[in-house]
Amino acid sequence: MPMEISEVRTDTHLRVSPSGRLDATTSPALQEKLLGLIEAGDRRMVIDFSELDYVSSAGLRVILIVAKRLKSTGGALALCCMKPHIKEVFDIAGFSAMLSIHPTQEEAVSALK
Amino acid sequence: MTGQMEIRAKNDLSEIERVSQFATEFGERVGLPERIIFAMNLALEEILVNIINYGYEDGGVHDIRVRLAIDGAGALVIEVEDDARPFDPTSMPDVDLEQSLEDRNIGGLGIHLVRTLFDDFEYHRREPHGNLLVLKKREPGATQPDV
């Protein structure tokens, strides 16, 4: 089942919205997409989780890789709009303390500044 | 063990979604809350991915058996049995949650999730060949123990 990834680019940041499942079979595509965007010059990114129903550790790994890559290029990443059980996965993994995670898009965008 | 259901999957990542559908149906049938069904699917994915990616050297097709049940005490019991080479994920070191972004390692997250989401996580070596993993969650909130 392919995962759809939509992008909205503003003059301050790029917002990416993957939909469906972020698991072992779909996360490579997201990783490729996001690392490609960073390679092409994007530095301020919001990942919107509102359309995701499922995130496994494969998804967590992609987020971690992207976060590290952005940080090392002087960029910024913010995550938003997670459903409660997905937020819980990030909490359990200790990612909530390490990453910029917000309930809304507006807060995520503000956090990029 | 009441109402045990079993599915056999091939050692291919594309099978994970089918196992997930099976687990979701089982969960709905016994009245498990959604967040427990989600935990079950997360754990199954972690375990199956490890078996599929690291369990075999022969490049062949193998069966992995997944059994789901609510036991007499109302606990959710998940068993995953394979004929792969020895691998004990319960012996993997735990993740250091205090590390910063730069220092965080990518490995080990999946097993950490499984350990946190389940009460028991046991490994048994199967003779002559294979592994059995048993996960238990006590009081998962099942409303219908008899399937």
Side-chain angles (χ1 to χ4, degrees):
Chain A
M1 186 126 200
M3 180 183 54
E4 311 248 310
I5 306 171
S6 69
E7 292 165 48
V8 173
R9 188 173 272 105
T10 74
D11 49 4
T12 59
H13 69 280
L14 175 71
R15 186 173 77 249
V16 177
S17 306
S19 67
R21 286 172 62 100
L22 187 55
D23 62 20
T25 53
T26 58
S27 61
L30 183 65
Q31 180 170 317
E32 201 181 310
K33 174 114 207 152
L34 296 182
L35 292 184
L37 288 166
I38 296 168
E39 179 89 13
D42 279 299
R43 291 288 175 271
R44 295 153 62 74
M45 203 179 276
V46 171
I47 304 178
D48 182 335
F49 281 68
S50 56
E51 301 298 307
L52 281 174
D53 299 308
Y54 177 93
V55 178
S56 70
S57 75
L60 292 180
R61 270 180 225 115
V62 170
I63 300 298
L64 186 61
I65 287 167
V66 169
K68 285 180 184 236
R69 184 71 59 89
L70 274 169
K71 185 152 189 190
S72 72
T73 60
L77 176 70
L79 314 179
C80 80
C81 318
M82 292 180 186
K83 291 178 178 158
H85 56 282
I86 290 176
K87 176 66 167 52
E88 190 182 347
V89 171
F90 277 78
D91 292 342
I92 292 170
F95 278 28
S96 302
M98 209 170 51
L99 298 173
S100 176
I101 301 179
H102 308 272
T104 67
Q105 264 179 35
E106 291 72 21
E107 288 165 277
V109 174
S110 298
L112 286 179
K113 291 190 178 65
Chain B
M1 194 78 72
T2 60
Q4 187 178 81
M5 290 172 64
E6 176 176 302
I7 186 173
R8 283 189 208 193
K10 300 288 174 218
N11 57 323
D12 191 292
L13 289 178
S14 65
E15 288 273 71
I16 291 174
E17 194 167 345
R18 190 168 68 90
V19 174
S20 181
Q21 276 161 18
F22 169 79
T24 300
E25 276 166 27
F26 168 83
E28 285 167 357
R29 188 184 299 211
V30 297
L32 287 177
E34 259 188 55
R35 53 184 296 275
I36 304 299
I37 294 176
F38 178 71
M40 193 168 45
N41 281 323
L42 257 192
L44 284 170
E45 176 176 330
E46 286 318 315
I47 289 166
L48 290 172
V49 166
N50 278 333
I51 295 169
I52 291 165
N53 284 344
Y54 306 119
Y56 308 96
E57 289 172 297
D58 61 5
V61 176
H62 294 264
D63 270 350
I64 303 168
R65 298 183 199 200
V66 175
R67 291 183 286 271
L68 305 175
I70 303 295
D71 75 8
L76 167 64
V77 183
I78 300 174
E79 292 183 357
V80 183
E81 187 168 8
D82 63 43
D83 64 353
R85 56 184 165 174
F87 175 61
D88 177 4
T90 68
S91 68
M92 282 176 63
D94 214 351
V95 163
D96 182 353
L97 295 181
E98 299 298 312
Q99 282 178 318
S100 65
L101 180 64
E102 293 87 350
D103 297 331
R104 264 319 269 278
N105 271 326
I106 290 171
L109 280 176
I111 297 302
H112 172 71
L113 288 176
V114 175
R115 278 199 191 116
T116 308
L117 293 170
F118 284 80
D119 299 314
D120 298 337
F121 182 30
E122 284 173 10
Y123 169 78
H124 305 273
R125 184 94 192 98
R126 274 290 183 246
E127 297 304 333
H129 196 54
N131 309 286
L132 171 67
L133 286 172
V134 183
L135 286 76
K136 249 190 217 182
K137 191 164 184 66
R138 285 184 274 282
E139 296 173 30
T143 56
Q144 294 156 75
D146 284 302
V147 175

